[in-house]
Amino acid sequence: MIFAAGLGTRLKPITDTIPKALVPVGGKTLLEHVILKLANQGFDELIVNVHHHADKIIDFLKEQNNFGLRIEISDERDLLLDTGGGIRKASHFFNDGEPFLIHNVDILSDANLSELYNLHKSSGNDATLLVKERETSRYLYFNEERRLKGWMNTKTGEMKSPFADFQPEKEHRFAFSGIHVLSPAIFEHMKDYPAKFPIMDFYIENAAKAKIGYHLNNNLRMIDVGKLDSLKEAEEHFKQF
């Protein structure tokens, strides 16, 4: 599943007239970069959620004949459901009992997605998050058993965890990449959530009940093309991805 429904507010004024998914980098849209990466690594059934300038994304995919893949649309034009709600709305697409990969449309990387997928399948996790040791203000914390324990904003000191004994300094901290693999069992934990909710809050709130793990790749090269300065950087380095 490709998250392409966001408003792209950090890329204004570009996203006043086009969706973030259709912002060009190196002669191709962000959406095309992600689709081709997925296709090259063996993923041939995709679902793309849409909201902001949804018609332009739908028309783009039609013009490209869906890049020869099975691509469906999860339409969120009536209500932007955030990342967690977006995944649950698309649950009908993941009814074969197999794990599924989630990829933000604004992430360019050299991640080995098929490797991540296979590692998840052998892990027994409900969700496996691709992470890296890098500087950020918001970290995920995992214990020695590679289980998610909590989250912290190091700038504000805000912490979130379902564990009363959560002590960030005693755990391993990593930065999330915007790429993760989930098993359909995760939907059981979502059944009492409202229509709209963020997946990261969901992960943290359910860390004591669901098995939320990670795959660490410190050699990962990636750019989050979510703001104007990183868009400029992506134009200079996109060939690496």
Side-chain angles (χ1 to χ4, degrees):
M1 180 175 183
I2 301 174
F3 283 151
L7 300 175
T9 52
R10 294 181 298 162
L11 282 173
K12 282 180 170 289
I14 298 172
T15 47
D16 287 340
T17 54
I18 62 171
K20 177 168 59 176
L22 298 187
V23 170
V25 172
K28 295 177 183 176
T29 67
L30 289 172
L31 181 58
E32 183 172 355
H33 279 293
V34 175
I35 288 174
L36 294 179
K37 182 174 182 61
L38 287 163
N40 288 337
Q41 298 201 26
F43 297 86
D44 57 6
E45 295 184 336
L46 311 180
I47 188 164
V48 180
N49 70 344
V50 295
H51 173 81
H52 183 58
H53 293 301
D55 290 341
K56 294 186 177 180
I57 295 176
I58 293 168
D59 290 345
F60 172 76
L61 290 171
K62 285 180 180 176
E63 289 164 6
Q64 302 298 325
N65 196 28
N66 284 343
F67 297 92
L69 308 172
R70 177 193 171 194
I71 300 181
E72 292 191 10
I73 295 295
S74 184
D75 195 332
E76 298 182 22
R77 278 177 283 197
D78 289 343
L79 177 65
L80 185 59
L81 298 175
D82 212 325
T83 47
I87 291 171
R88 188 174 60 186
K89 181 178 172 63
S91 61
H92 68 279
F93 192 73
F94 308 116
N95 61 3
D96 59 358
E98 292 297 318
F100 52 96
L101 185 140
I102 305 290
H103 200 299
N104 289 1
V105 78
D106 55 6
I107 297 295
L108 296 180
S109 81
D110 63 353
N112 187 327
L113 302 179
S114 55
E115 177 186 62
L116 174 65
Y117 184 86
N118 290 328
L119 285 168
H120 170 82
K121 288 187 74 171
S122 64
S123 70
N125 289 341
D126 293 306
T128 303
L129 284 56
L130 181 62
V131 300
K132 182 179 180 179
E133 291 178 319
R134 62 176 171 85
E135 289 297 317
T136 183
S137 59
R138 293 171 293 180
Y139 287 99
L140 293 170
Y141 292 81
F142 296 82
N143 65 12
E144 290 290 343
E145 286 73 45
R146 306 174 74 88
R147 295 283 298 271
L148 180 64
K149 290 295 295 287
W151 171 94
M152 182 176 181
N153 184 324
T154 56
K155 283 187 177 178
T156 66
E158 179 188 6
M159 293 191 298
K160 297 179 183 178
S161 174
F163 299 95
D165 62 347
F166 175 54
Q167 298 179 58
E169 66 277 6
K170 294 186 177 181
E171 313 293 354
H172 301 283
R173 73 178 195 180
F174 305 115
F176 180 46
S177 69
I179 303 170
H180 36 149
V181 182
L182 291 75
S183 291
I186 204 76
F187 292 121
E188 179 66 20
H189 299 286
M190 293 181 175
K191 61 183 182 181
D192 295 325
Y193 273 71
K196 179 178 181 177
F197 63 96
I199 192 62
M200 195 52 64
D201 283 356
F202 167 83
Y203 283 155
I204 295 159
E205 290 162 5
N206 289 274
K209 296 181 288 185
K211 190 176 179 184
I212 313 297
Y214 71 86
H215 173 55
L216 176 64
N217 182 354
N218 277 333
N219 296 317
L220 178 69
R221 293 182 297 178
M222 61 167 282
I223 299 178
D224 178 352
V225 195
K227 48 190 177 182
L228 292 174
D229 58 349
S230 57
L231 179 59
K232 194 176 299 183
E233 181 186 357
E235 283 287 356
E236 295 173 1
H237 301 291
F238 81 94
K239 289 182 181 179
Q240 299 177 22
F241 309 117

